[in-house]
Amino acid sequence: MNTFTSTISINKPLTEVYDFLADFNNHRQLMPDNIQEWTSTRDEARFTIQNMAKLALKIEERVPSQLIRIIPAEKPPFNLELKWSLSFNNDHTDILFTIGAELSMMMKMLASGPLQKLADHETQSLFNILNQA
């Protein structure tokens, strides 16, 4: 399993960050511009990555104020897991976003850069959105 991580700290209460991430409808705001045809409910999202693949994801596990685990809702091009881990530290919430992907050597060469960029983009977008609120 190849792992891509990104961490941030947001000066917001843990419950506010968790509540935002626990609803898949909010995740559209975290996605880069190459994500198209987004449809979502609280528990699932479907979208197309421009010129690449269609994905359907679902929130598999919610641990209040600690963890949100996301897995494919349908067969993906490769095995994948996304995880938001949260912890409160003094006056801010620490967030670790992890993308785990089972990639062949060829896919690793092609996808490693974009997956790391996606992890960084999502955490930076979360930071920007919640710091404006």
Side-chain angles (χ1 to χ4, degrees), residues 1 55 57 70-72 76 78-82 99-102 115:
M1 185 73 79
L55 281 179
L57 300 175
I70 301 164
I71 63 168
F78 47 84
N79 286 335
L80 179 70
E81 178 184 80
L82 295 88
I99 300 174
E102 254 178 53
L115 286 171

Side-chain angles (χ1 to χ4, degrees), residues 7-8 11 13 17 21 25 30 46 49 53 65 77 86 95 97 99 101 107 109 116:
T7 59
I8 55 164
N11 193 15
V17 177
L21 291 171
N25 292 310
L30 305 178
R46 295 174 182 279
I49 304 170
S65 299
L86 311 174
I95 300 150
F97 179 50
I99 300 174
M107 280 300 288
M109 290 183 345
Q116 184 60 56

Side-chain angles (χ1 to χ4, degrees), residues 15-41:
T15 53
E16 186 177 334
V17 177
Y18 176 83
D19 290 347
F20 181 90
L21 291 171
D23 186 343
F24 237 143
N25 292 310
N26 294 327
H27 287 241
R28 174 64 187 116
Q29 301 170 64
L30 305 178
M31 294 294 169
D33 293 338
N34 68 338
I35 300 298
Q36 301 172 331
E37 301 171 25
W38 178 276
T39 59
S40 60
T41 64

Side-chain angles (χ1 to χ4, degrees), residues 32-74:
D33 293 338
N34 68 338
I35 300 298
Q36 301 172 331
E37 301 171 25
W38 178 276
T39 59
S40 60
T41 64
R42 179 172 161 70
D43 299 318
E44 285 195 21
R46 295 174 182 279
F47 55 91
T48 302
I49 304 170
Q50 187 177 6
N51 301 323
M52 285 182 62
K54 288 184 182 208
L55 281 179
L57 300 175
K58 66 180 178 182
I59 296 179
E60 172 75 0
E61 180 181 10
R62 288 183 181 95
V63 179
S65 299
Q66 291 180 29
L67 174 79
I68 294 151
R69 196 166 69 87
I70 301 164
I71 63 168
E74 296 173 358

